[in-house]
Amino acid sequence: MKSKLFAFFHLNIMYSAIEEKERIKVIKRCYWPLLKIIQKYNLPFGIELSGYTLETINNLDPNWVREFKKLLKKGICELIGCGYSQIIGPLVPSNLNYNNLKLGDKVYRKLLGIKPKIALVNEQAFSKGLIENYLSNNYTTIITEWENSQILNQKNKNGYLYFPQILSYQGKKIKIIWNNSINFQKFQRYVHGEYTLNEYINHVTRITNYGKGAISLYGNDIEIFDFRPGRYMTESKLSKDSEWNKIDDLFNFLINENKFKFVKVSEVLNLNHSKLSNNNIDIVNPSKPIPVKKQEKYNIVRWAVSGRNDLDINTDCWKIFNSLDTINQANEKDWRELCYLWSSDFRTHITFNRWSKYLKRLKNYKKKLSISKKEKNFKKIIFDKEIFINENNRAIINKSPYKINTSYEGNLLKIEGKRLKISFNCYRGLAINSYIDKKYSKLPLFGTIHHGTLQDIKFSADFYSGHTVFESPGQHKVTDLNIVEPLIKIRDDIIEISSTIPTRIGLIEKSWIFDDSIGRLIQKIKFKPKIKLIGSFRFGYITIIPDSFNLNKLFYKTNNGGEDDEVFNIYKSSSFDHGRSVSSLISTNQALGLTNGKISIGDNKKKINIRFDNSEQALIGLMSYQKVKKKYLSRFALSAREIDDTSKISSFNNFSINIHYFID
């Protein structure tokens, strides 16, 4: 029996490192040779491209689109969809994901006369919440990467790779076909001259060991064959001979070799095996809620809070989305523009010329929608009193009719109302020492785990809550854990505690609003940097007090681009830390999209809730959980900036955010 192979090619005219003036060259050198080799051998390849890429090719070279359409009509190759723009689904609101797929399908129908049923998950950045939007747009199948999914879920048998499987979420099911990043990287290395044809064929022979199944030979970029985007210094040089000749040699060999047979991507769905096909599987877990293709350095953060200035442009896109989402008559043109502005390639290795043009377009569209820079205030409060706490004032300083007691004992500022009882460490920048909500627990639910509490030398430090940390490669860490003399303002059952903390990179203005009437603590942070920065900027930390939660029921819940929240059972997980650096160049290995601006962490009886507004700052979340002998250490932080290979030193515009903490 012949071993079955399938392949699809990802066309992206928006490729970040390619200037617009070079797009004609890309079509000539990369896109046309693909169609010609398909025609030459009647190869049943998949071609995946966004609606925007298809429109742009049609504007620059309509003959290519006509030829592609002919091949589709003859049934030689097939179309794989992805949406109007290549958007990273787990980082954007569900409604935008829905509209992106819908608008992409409209372009496919208009220019190619077909609507695809199979979609490639953009950059293979998958979350469970995305399933509903694919199904709502009549996609029956998605393609995403195998390797990271298998690492996360060892119970998924190796043989599953060769057959279609089923993903389920909240009663909804979609089929999945596996891309294989090792295989497509091997293919690229062969084409770029790192392997001989014989060496590569030996690899193909080794991986095709399931006669009834099929395996992906290639499923990635095409703009790297006979063209070099100039993205990396390590890019191989173009030789005098066309790389498409090497690709031709490979396919000619595989076709004439008696061992192999090419099938369409859609034909993989028909492959059945009694035990290895169509199993209900899961490809996410608490350690990696958003798997992405390729190695660990390549993760969701690269489109969220790195790049030239992902934070600012993502925040602006959230502002535009909120504006459009509240306009009943927002039209298709508006949604197309926002899909374009949220394209992934503006967030990675975008060239300076295209970046400048993009910023102008973003600014003009905000202006059109009358979106200003005016800050939002969650609650305007006129305070009656202002009191400084200093060395001579450590007694009870206020007793109000609402029974809010405020005292200063040692280094701790303690505030207690009918419901909340919170202490802040004035020797550590007003970090939370203890947070108690008497409605739900007599014990503190989060705060500080003090030095030596965890009986393991690796975890013998102090683990704070409510603090800020900035880290830059090769430099000392910057924090706001300084000695402060807070200013206290009081009105009825609301108290604000604030301080301005100087650091070597700029001022951090920090306030806590204690609102006992609704059982809520609000942190307000303003950061005014002195200089352009590169590094990780994390804040809003919470450190869970282990004894206060049932470990066997511990979970976190958040939203990653879908309509519904996703629940991750921490107690079933091994140790993980989203904020763990991969290398000196990559500061994180994973993150949470937080696309509804919230996360909840708790057990079956109570949970800690953290809320913020994405249109103030489009933040991501970093969760960690480590087993420490009979205890555990679990923490969460928000991040506004991380570093990776896409990061550029840039200005950090005056930063302001309000973070809400409450228990329910």
Side-chain angles (χ1 to χ4, degrees), residues 291-303:
V292 177
K293 68 180 181 180
K294 301 199 292 191
Q295 290 80 1
E296 195 176 39
K297 65 182 181 180
Y298 201 82
N299 62 68
I300 196 74
V301 171
R302 71 191 290 109
W303 304 283

Side-chain angles (χ1 to χ4, degrees), residues 259-277:
K259 298 178 182 177
F260 307 104
K261 177 186 177 183
F262 279 102
V263 298
K264 289 182 178 179
V265 177
S266 57
E267 290 180 279
V268 176
L269 296 171
N270 300 325
L271 302 177
N272 291 306
H273 187 288
S274 59
K275 294 182 179 179
L276 298 178
S277 60

Side-chain angles (χ1 to χ4, degrees), residues 173-283:
K173 296 183 178 182
I174 195 165
K175 290 210 171 185
I176 184 169
I177 294 173
W178 301 109
N179 191 16
N180 191 297
S181 65
I182 296 296
N183 288 353
F184 75 61
Q185 289 174 331
K186 292 279 189 184
F187 185 100
Q188 291 169 350
R189 292 184 181 195
Y190 157 70
V191 177
H192 290 168
E194 293 186 45
Y195 299 136
T196 65
L197 178 59
N198 285 337
E199 287 173 328
Y200 182 70
I201 293 299
N202 287 336
H203 166 71
V204 175
T205 302
R206 284 195 304 272
I207 62 175
T208 52
N209 59 351
Y210 276 85
K212 292 183 179 180
I215 193 162
S216 172
L217 191 70
Y218 192 74
N220 203 48
D221 302 332
I222 194 175
E223 294 83 6
I224 58 172
F225 303 136
D226 263 9
F227 188 85
R228 295 294 183 270
R231 177 169 158 181
Y232 298 115
M233 295 292 290
T234 54
E235 283 182 340
S236 58
K237 293 182 179 180
L238 280 170
S239 64
K240 293 180 181 179
D241 296 328
S242 171
E243 290 175 339
W244 284 98
N245 290 336
K246 296 193 71 174
I247 296 172
D248 189 292
D249 291 342
L250 171 63
F251 291 137
N252 183 51
F253 180 91
L254 293 172
I255 290 167
N256 290 300
E257 181 73 11
N258 234 0
K259 298 178 182 177
F260 307 104
K261 177 186 177 183
F262 279 102
V263 298
K264 289 182 178 179
V265 177
S266 57
E267 290 180 279
V268 176
L269 296 171
N270 300 325
L271 302 177
N272 291 306
H273 187 288
S274 59
K275 294 182 179 179
L276 298 178
S277 60
N278 298 315
N279 296 282
N280 284 294
I281 62 169
D282 196 356
I283 63 172

